[in-house]
Amino acid sequence: RTPSTHWRAWHELQHDRAWTTDGLGASMGMIRIVSRPGPISWLSIDRWCEANGVSDEDRVYVHDLIRALDAVFLRFRNAAISQDMQTLMRK
């Protein structure tokens, strides 16, 4: 259980997350469309564990840690996207 392994897992799994499209339009043709990240799926984390030889005993820990890292990222990233959209609409 080395921290660098779990950071590596989270970074490698970034590409397995779902994204949703969000758009906002206002008068005079002002439109902003962005993609918002969703959480990394349980299946992706489990497949990463399998591919990297994580024991059954450590999988729960890896799942919990990846979920915790991902929750912080999602909260920060989606708040930044929302703030950017609000700023755009104030102009």
Side-chain angles (χ1 to χ4, degrees):
R1 290 185 191 185
T2 62
S4 63
T5 300
H6 304 110
W7 274 109
R8 183 173 59 88
W10 183 77
H11 282 284
E12 288 177 0
L13 290 167
Q14 284 288 324
H15 307 288
D16 290 340
R17 69 174 67 253
W19 291 78
T20 58
T21 302
D22 189 9
L24 188 60
S27 61
M28 302 297 289
M30 188 183 309
I31 298 173
R32 178 67 186 245
I33 299 174
V34 296
S35 291
R36 289 185 184 269
I40 296 169
S41 74
W42 180 92
L43 184 58
S44 292
I45 298 168
D46 202 57
R47 290 176 74 190
W48 185 92
C49 289
E50 184 70 31
N52 288 277
V54 176
S55 70
D56 290 342
E57 179 180 298
D58 286 340
R59 281 187 193 210
V60 172
Y61 174 75
V62 172
H63 274 268
D64 289 346
L65 185 59
I66 298 298
R67 292 275 188 213
L69 292 168
D70 209 35
V72 172
F73 167 77
L74 291 172
R75 188 171 45 249
F76 174 78
R77 185 68 189 118
N78 285 322
I81 290 169
S82 294
Q83 181 63 43
D84 182 50
M85 291 181 79
Q86 288 175 2
T87 300
L88 176 73
M89 290 298 133
R90 288 187 196 131
K91 292 181 179 183

